[in-house]
Amino acid sequence: GDAVRLRFTFRSGEPAAFSIRGLVRWTRTSRSERGEPGFGLEILETDAATRTALLARIAESGPRAFIPRGPRP
């Protein structure tokens, strides 16, 4: 996947901007039976404060794992 650096803030809660370095593992450009448009990110590097905030946010929102099986025949 492509290497990316993301800088973002959440709409509610934490006032600080977060920065993550990661790899894009999958993308979905339009809505389908598999879900909404989006992407999967493998986080490679972030600071301790960002890691703590992300883990708290994931715990609050109920994580949804998605691992694509690859192209359908």
Side-chain angles (χ1 to χ4, degrees), residues 6 8 10 14 18 21 34 36 43 47 54-55 57 67-68 72:
L6 298 176
F8 61 95
F10 292 119
E14 305 82 6
F18 300 105
R21 189 175 68 83
R34 297 175 118 184
E36 298 293 325
I43 297 171
D47 60 65
L54 286 173
L55 289 174
R57 188 71 173 210
I67 302 171
R72 292 186 180 201

PDB file of all heavy atoms in Angstrom, residues 6 8 10 14 18 21 34 36 43 47 54-55 57 67-68 72:
ATOM      1  N   LEU A   6      -0.994  11.276   7.973  1.00  0.00           N
ATOM      2  CA  LEU A   6      -2.285  11.914   8.195  1.00  0.00           C
ATOM      3  C   LEU A   6      -2.182  12.876   9.366  1.00  0.00           C
ATOM      4  O   LEU A   6      -1.551  12.579  10.377  1.00  0.00           O
ATOM      5  CB  LEU A   6      -3.355  10.875   8.527  1.00  0.00           C
ATOM      6  CG  LEU A   6      -3.666   9.835   7.471  1.00  0.00           C
ATOM      7  CD1 LEU A   6      -4.677   8.842   8.026  1.00  0.00           C
ATOM      8  CD2 LEU A   6      -4.202  10.490   6.225  1.00  0.00           C
ATOM      9  N   PHE A   8      -5.089  15.092  11.535  1.00  0.00           N
ATOM     10  CA  PHE A   8      -6.539  15.235  11.636  1.00  0.00           C
ATOM     11  C   PHE A   8      -6.952  15.605  13.043  1.00  0.00           C
ATOM     12  O   PHE A   8      -6.167  15.508  13.991  1.00  0.00           O
ATOM     13  CB  PHE A   8      -7.227  13.930  11.223  1.00  0.00           C
ATOM     14  CG  PHE A   8      -6.862  12.766  12.101  1.00  0.00           C
ATOM     15  CD1 PHE A   8      -7.656  12.420  13.165  1.00  0.00           C
ATOM     16  CD2 PHE A   8      -5.715  12.028  11.852  1.00  0.00           C
ATOM     17  CE1 PHE A   8      -7.314  11.361  13.989  1.00  0.00           C
ATOM     18  CE2 PHE A   8      -5.373  10.965  12.658  1.00  0.00           C
ATOM     19  CZ  PHE A   8      -6.169  10.635  13.734  1.00  0.00           C
ATOM     20  N   PHE A  10     -10.672  15.135  15.620  1.00  0.00           N
ATOM     21  CA  PHE A  10     -12.003  14.548  15.723  1.00  0.00           C
ATOM     22  C   PHE A  10     -13.022  15.677  15.828  1.00  0.00           C
ATOM     23  O   PHE A  10     -12.717  16.755  16.326  1.00  0.00           O
ATOM     24  CB  PHE A  10     -12.102  13.641  16.951  1.00  0.00           C
ATOM     25  CG  PHE A  10     -11.269  12.394  16.838  1.00  0.00           C
ATOM     26  CD1 PHE A  10     -10.257  12.138  17.744  1.00  0.00           C
ATOM     27  CD2 PHE A  10     -11.493  11.481  15.827  1.00  0.00           C
ATOM     28  CE1 PHE A  10      -9.497  10.988  17.657  1.00  0.00           C
ATOM     29  CE2 PHE A  10     -10.737  10.332  15.724  1.00  0.00           C
ATOM     30  CZ  PHE A  10      -9.737  10.084  16.644  1.00  0.00           C
ATOM     31  N   GLU A  14     -11.362  15.708  21.700  1.00  0.00           N
ATOM     32  CA  GLU A  14      -9.998  16.215  21.768  1.00  0.00           C
ATOM     33  C   GLU A  14      -9.798  17.458  20.907  1.00  0.00           C
ATOM     34  O   GLU A  14     -10.128  17.465  19.734  1.00  0.00           O
ATOM     35  CB  GLU A  14      -9.007  15.124  21.307  1.00  0.00           C
ATOM     36  CG  GLU A  14      -9.114  13.829  22.058  1.00  0.00           C
ATOM     37  CD  GLU A  14     -10.227  12.926  21.551  1.00  0.00           C
ATOM     38  OE1 GLU A  14     -10.863  13.260  20.524  1.00  0.00           O
ATOM     39  OE2 GLU A  14     -10.467  11.897  22.177  1.00  0.00           O
ATOM     40  N   PHE A  18      -3.955  15.449  15.515  1.00  0.00           N
ATOM     41  CA  PHE A  18      -3.144  14.248  15.647  1.00  0.00           C
ATOM     42  C   PHE A  18      -2.392  13.992  14.355  1.00  0.00           C
ATOM     43  O   PHE A  18      -2.845  14.362  13.282  1.00  0.00           O
ATOM     44  CB  PHE A  18      -4.034  13.039  15.952  1.00  0.00           C
ATOM     45  CG  PHE A  18      -4.807  13.189  17.229  1.00  0.00           C
ATOM     46  CD1 PHE A  18      -6.155  13.470  17.189  1.00  0.00           C
ATOM     47  CD2 PHE A  18      -4.177  13.058  18.448  1.00  0.00           C
ATOM     48  CE1 PHE A  18      -6.878  13.610  18.361  1.00  0.00           C
ATOM     49  CE2 PHE A  18      -4.884  13.198  19.628  1.00  0.00           C
ATOM     50  CZ  PHE A  18      -6.233  13.471  19.581  1.00  0.00           C
ATOM     51  N   ARG A  21       1.702   8.207  10.884  1.00  0.00           N
ATOM     52  CA  ARG A  21       2.343   7.706   9.672  1.00  0.00           C
ATOM     53  C   ARG A  21       1.875   6.271   9.514  1.00  0.00           C
ATOM     54  O   ARG A  21       1.879   5.497  10.474  1.00  0.00           O
ATOM     55  CB  ARG A  21       3.863   7.752   9.801  1.00  0.00           C
ATOM     56  CG  ARG A  21       4.581   7.440   8.494  1.00  0.00           C
ATOM     57  CD  ARG A  21       6.084   7.612   8.629  1.00  0.00           C
ATOM     58  NE  ARG A  21       6.677   6.628   9.501  1.00  0.00           N
ATOM     59  CZ  ARG A  21       7.024   5.403   9.141  1.00  0.00           C
ATOM     60  NH1 ARG A  21       6.821   4.988   7.912  1.00  0.00           N
ATOM     61  NH2 ARG A  21       7.554   4.573  10.003  1.00  0.00           N
ATOM     62  N   ARG A  34     -20.370  -4.133   0.889  1.00  0.00           N
ATOM     63  CA  ARG A  34     -19.299  -4.297   1.881  1.00  0.00           C
ATOM     64  C   ARG A  34     -19.189  -3.084   2.800  1.00  0.00           C
ATOM     65  O   ARG A  34     -18.496  -3.149   3.798  1.00  0.00           O
ATOM     66  CB  ARG A  34     -17.975  -4.544   1.184  1.00  0.00           C
ATOM     67  CG  ARG A  34     -17.983  -5.831   0.394  1.00  0.00           C
ATOM     68  CD  ARG A  34     -16.724  -5.978  -0.361  1.00  0.00           C
ATOM     69  NE  ARG A  34     -16.050  -7.179   0.112  1.00  0.00           N
ATOM     70  CZ  ARG A  34     -14.865  -7.560  -0.297  1.00  0.00           C
ATOM     71  NH1 ARG A  34     -14.199  -6.825  -1.161  1.00  0.00           N
ATOM     72  NH2 ARG A  34     -14.332  -8.666   0.161  1.00  0.00           N
ATOM     73  N   GLU A  36     -19.456   1.543   3.423  1.00  0.00           N
ATOM     74  CA  GLU A  36     -19.314   2.917   2.939  1.00  0.00           C
ATOM     75  C   GLU A  36     -17.921   3.122   2.328  1.00  0.00           C
ATOM     76  O   GLU A  36     -17.009   2.358   2.596  1.00  0.00           O
ATOM     77  CB  GLU A  36     -19.491   3.893   4.105  1.00  0.00           C
ATOM     78  CG  GLU A  36     -20.852   3.840   4.757  1.00  0.00           C
ATOM     79  CD  GLU A  36     -21.951   4.321   3.838  1.00  0.00           C
ATOM     80  OE1 GLU A  36     -21.708   5.248   3.039  1.00  0.00           O
ATOM     81  OE2 GLU A  36     -23.056   3.779   3.914  1.00  0.00           O
ATOM     82  N   ILE A  43      -1.289   1.555  11.096  1.00  0.00           N
ATOM     83  CA  ILE A  43      -0.528   2.630  11.738  1.00  0.00           C
ATOM     84  C   ILE A  43       0.882   2.134  12.018  1.00  0.00           C
ATOM     85  O   ILE A  43       1.079   1.116  12.675  1.00  0.00           O
ATOM     86  CB  ILE A  43      -1.221   3.091  13.032  1.00  0.00           C
ATOM     87  CG1 ILE A  43      -2.599   3.665  12.704  1.00  0.00           C
ATOM     88  CG2 ILE A  43      -0.363   4.108  13.772  1.00  0.00           C
ATOM     89  CD1 ILE A  43      -3.453   3.957  13.906  1.00  0.00           C
ATOM     90  N   ASP A  47       2.786   9.300  18.219  1.00  0.00           N
ATOM     91  CA  ASP A  47       3.290   9.562  19.567  1.00  0.00           C
ATOM     92  C   ASP A  47       2.354   8.942  20.612  1.00  0.00           C
ATOM     93  O   ASP A  47       1.242   8.518  20.296  1.00  0.00           O
ATOM     94  CB  ASP A  47       3.463  11.067  19.796  1.00  0.00           C
ATOM     95  CG  ASP A  47       2.166  11.820  19.632  1.00  0.00           C
ATOM     96  OD1 ASP A  47       1.235  11.596  20.435  1.00  0.00           O
ATOM     97  OD2 ASP A  47       2.063  12.624  18.693  1.00  0.00           O
ATOM     98  N   LEU A  54      -6.430   7.632  20.297  1.00  0.00           N
ATOM     99  CA  LEU A  54      -7.013   6.746  19.288  1.00  0.00           C
ATOM    100  C   LEU A  54      -7.593   5.485  19.914  1.00  0.00           C
ATOM    101  O   LEU A  54      -8.690   5.050  19.557  1.00  0.00           O
ATOM    102  CB  LEU A  54      -5.972   6.367  18.241  1.00  0.00           C
ATOM    103  CG  LEU A  54      -5.598   7.455  17.251  1.00  0.00           C
ATOM    104  CD1 LEU A  54      -4.441   6.991  16.382  1.00  0.00           C
ATOM    105  CD2 LEU A  54      -6.787   7.841  16.400  1.00  0.00           C
ATOM    106  N   LEU A  55      -6.865   4.880  20.847  1.00  0.00           N
ATOM    107  CA  LEU A  55      -7.371   3.672  21.503  1.00  0.00           C
ATOM    108  C   LEU A  55      -8.655   3.963  22.273  1.00  0.00           C
ATOM    109  O   LEU A  55      -9.594   3.156  22.252  1.00  0.00           O
ATOM    110  CB  LEU A  55      -6.304   3.081  22.420  1.00  0.00           C
ATOM    111  CG  LEU A  55      -5.123   2.438  21.705  1.00  0.00           C
ATOM    112  CD1 LEU A  55      -4.049   2.026  22.704  1.00  0.00           C
ATOM    113  CD2 LEU A  55      -5.563   1.250  20.864  1.00  0.00           C
ATOM    114  N   ARG A  57     -10.846   6.354  21.546  1.00  0.00           N
ATOM    115  CA  ARG A  57     -11.884   6.597  20.526  1.00  0.00           C
ATOM    116  C   ARG A  57     -12.391   5.286  19.927  1.00  0.00           C
ATOM    117  O   ARG A  57     -13.594   5.104  19.730  1.00  0.00           O
ATOM    118  CB  ARG A  57     -11.300   7.500  19.448  1.00  0.00           C
ATOM    119  CG  ARG A  57     -12.259   7.989  18.459  1.00  0.00           C
ATOM    120  CD  ARG A  57     -13.170   9.015  19.110  1.00  0.00           C
ATOM    121  NE  ARG A  57     -14.002   9.598  18.075  1.00  0.00           N
ATOM    122  CZ  ARG A  57     -14.462  10.811  18.110  1.00  0.00           C
ATOM    123  NH1 ARG A  57     -14.187  11.587  19.119  1.00  0.00           N
ATOM    124  NH2 ARG A  57     -15.213  11.260  17.143  1.00  0.00           N
ATOM    125  N   ILE A  67     -11.201  -6.988   6.645  1.00  0.00           N
ATOM    126  CA  ILE A  67     -10.044  -7.431   5.880  1.00  0.00           C
ATOM    127  C   ILE A  67     -10.567  -7.941   4.546  1.00  0.00           C
ATOM    128  O   ILE A  67     -11.234  -8.977   4.475  1.00  0.00           O
ATOM    129  CB  ILE A  67      -9.279  -8.549   6.613  1.00  0.00           C
ATOM    130  CG1 ILE A  67      -8.838  -8.052   7.982  1.00  0.00           C
ATOM    131  CG2 ILE A  67      -8.096  -9.017   5.771  1.00  0.00           C
ATOM    132  CD1 ILE A  67      -8.267  -9.107   8.873  1.00  0.00           C
ATOM    133  N   PRO A  68     -10.312  -7.203   3.471  1.00  0.00           N
ATOM    134  CA  PRO A  68     -10.844  -7.620   2.176  1.00  0.00           C
ATOM    135  C   PRO A  68     -10.253  -8.946   1.724  1.00  0.00           C
ATOM    136  O   PRO A  68      -9.100  -9.254   2.010  1.00  0.00           O
ATOM    137  CB  PRO A  68     -10.452  -6.494   1.225  1.00  0.00           C
ATOM    138  CG  PRO A  68      -9.423  -5.714   1.929  1.00  0.00           C
ATOM    139  CD  PRO A  68      -9.528  -6.001   3.389  1.00  0.00           C
ATOM    140  N   ARG A  72     -13.170 -10.272  -6.366  1.00  0.00           N
ATOM    141  CA  ARG A  72     -14.100 -11.397  -6.519  1.00  0.00           C
ATOM    142  C   ARG A  72     -13.955 -11.974  -7.911  1.00  0.00           C
ATOM    143  O   ARG A  72     -13.776 -11.230  -8.872  1.00  0.00           O
ATOM    144  CB  ARG A  72     -15.529 -10.918  -6.301  1.00  0.00           C
ATOM    145  CG  ARG A  72     -15.747 -10.517  -4.877  1.00  0.00           C
ATOM    146  CD  ARG A  72     -17.188 -10.194  -4.653  1.00  0.00           C
ATOM    147  NE  ARG A  72     -17.357  -9.802  -3.266  1.00  0.00           N
ATOM    148  CZ  ARG A  72     -18.490  -9.831  -2.658  1.00  0.00           C
ATOM    149  NH1 ARG A  72     -19.576 -10.192  -3.271  1.00  0.00           N
ATOM    150  NH2 ARG A  72     -18.569  -9.469  -1.392  1.00  0.00           N
TER     151      ARG A  72
END
